[in-house]
Amino acid sequence: MQYSNTARESFEKFLADDNEENGAKPTAAGTLMRCCDAGNCLRQRGFAAAKFPEAHSFDTSTLIAFSLGTSMHELLQESIGHVHGGEFEKVVDLSPLGVSLSGSSDGVVEVDGQTRLLEIKTMSSYPFKIAKETGLPKRQHVAQAALYAMGTPEVTHLWMVYLAKESGFRGAHKSGDMIEWVIELDEELFDGFTPRQIAEQELDNFRSVQQSLSEEMLPDAVVFDDNGVDMLVEKPPAYGASKGQPWNCRYCRYQSICEACGPTEVSLQTAKVHAGWLTEEETV
């Protein structure tokens, strides 16, 4: 008998090749930006909208987690459709609101006389635990769902569903556990802010990114905390670092390009030069 790594190596190569081949999906309605970037750093949104090359790649464990999350997400969508019907992966175009922004909502479903905007998030152990303890969804996730609702006039409620894709420490929760919230669009939720107001704030953020790009400038490196408070990042922690704030930078695949550009006042052309150098180094 002998041990082998052939199956794992095959799995890793397939995931890596599939991720490289597919790359970033086009925006749902051919817009500049996508709703799923709500809550992200302004500069990260700018990099994505301007189609900058990514300086860092996902590792295999992250790709596996994404794959598992996608499968569970699709199964839950199918289950809800089987019982309640509805319209799923509905394209939402927010361009009429003065911003080149679109996305595909998880679903629009009629339940108990309510027209709900379904937003499913598959969660790893720690964020699921935090949601369970606080009793609240993340503001960023509410922002995304509310943006979809802004482009779907018949929607009256958000239906936020968190699905645990892994079991929690010492059995606090199990893979497949769920937390659900049904939230009216004008219900006060975070420090008196309603989902509709949070969406309007995000629309302003996306408009500011669009304005910067129209002036051939990259947005400043501004991140937002869990309460929506903004902060300019003077010195970002390294990509993949085990610690350092803001934590967002440690998972940003544009991190080294951003750091090379400095936090403010950089033209798109200068940023593209840095991106060319850094992404070329990554492939050497």
Side-chain angles (χ1 to χ4, degrees):
M1 182 178 70
Q2 65 179 27
Y3 289 104
S4 172
N5 289 319
T6 305
R8 179 172 181 82
E9 290 169 355
S10 300
F11 194 26
E12 290 177 350
K13 180 169 175 51
F14 169 77
L15 290 172
D17 289 351
D18 183 65
N19 183 65
E20 183 177 353
E21 179 180 345
N22 291 327
K25 294 180 181 179
T27 55
T31 55
L32 190 66
M33 296 170 288
R34 58 188 79 228
C35 294
C36 61
D37 283 336
N40 285 352
C41 168
L42 295 185
R43 178 166 287 180
Q44 186 181 31
R45 301 186 214 191
F47 279 134
K51 296 181 172 55
F52 270 65
E54 294 172 348
H56 309 280
S57 301
F58 290 125
D59 59 24
T60 303
S61 61
T62 301
L63 293 175
I64 291 173
F66 283 163
S67 182
L68 291 172
T70 298
S71 296
M72 296 176 76
H73 187 286
E74 291 174 350
L75 180 59
L76 181 54
Q77 273 183 306
E78 186 176 355
S79 302
I80 291 170
H82 175 74
V83 175
H84 298 285
E87 187 175 359
F88 299 90
E89 299 302 323
K90 181 177 181 179
V91 173
V92 177
D93 186 356
L94 294 174
S95 298
L97 300 180
V99 58
S100 184
L101 179 68
S102 64
S104 297
S105 65
D106 287 339
V108 178
V109 187
E110 295 284 340
V111 183
D112 298 332
Q114 302 167 343
T115 303
R116 299 181 180 177
L117 190 292
L118 174 65
E119 180 65 23
I120 301 169
K121 294 296 183 185
T122 57
M123 309 288 282
S124 56
S125 178
Y126 183 71
F128 189 88
K129 171 179 176 289
I130 296 299
K132 192 173 180 181
E133 290 175 350
T134 63
L136 289 170
K138 290 188 67 172
R139 183 188 180 102
Q140 179 177 1
H141 297 160
V142 171
Q144 182 182 343
L147 284 172
Y148 293 140
M150 295 282 278
T152 316
E154 65 270 27
V155 166
T156 59
H157 293 72
L158 305 183
W159 186 10
M160 311 289 298
V161 183
Y162 281 6
L163 172 58
K165 60 185 176 185
E166 58 190 24
S167 296
F169 181 65
R170 294 181 178 173
H173 62 265
K174 297 178 181 179
S175 176
D177 281 357
M178 296 185 207
I179 309 173
E180 301 181 44
W181 299 270
V182 179
I183 309 164
E184 292 187 41
L185 284 174
D186 294 308
E187 176 183 343
E188 292 187 0
L189 194 60
F190 299 104
D191 296 326
F193 287 97
T194 68
R196 191 187 306 275
Q197 290 170 329
I198 291 169
E200 289 169 349
Q201 290 173 345
E202 277 302 320
L203 286 172
D204 284 341
N205 289 334
F206 279 111
R207 290 188 187 105
S208 74
V209 173
Q210 181 173 284
Q211 180 63 32
S212 293
L213 296 179
S214 72
E215 296 170 356
E216 293 295 313
M217 297 294 290
L218 195 63
D220 291 348
V222 173
V223 300
F224 301 88
D225 67 13
D226 290 340
N227 297 314
V229 178
D230 63 300
M231 178 184 74
L232 181 69
V233 182
E234 298 284 354
K235 176 65 177 177
Y239 179 81
S242 59
K243 58 183 179 179
Q245 294 298 328
W247 63 265
N248 322 58
C249 300
R250 294 186 273 131
Y251 299 93
C252 176
R253 286 175 289 162
Y254 304 104
Q255 188 279 342
S256 61
I257 305 172
C258 180
E259 184 173 12
C261 291
T264 61
E265 297 296 322
V266 61
S267 70
L268 279 176
Q269 183 57 42
T270 298
K272 287 175 181 177
V273 171
H274 285 297
W277 289 337
L278 290 164
T279 54
E280 185 176 318
E281 288 174 6
E282 287 287 322
T283 58
V284 173

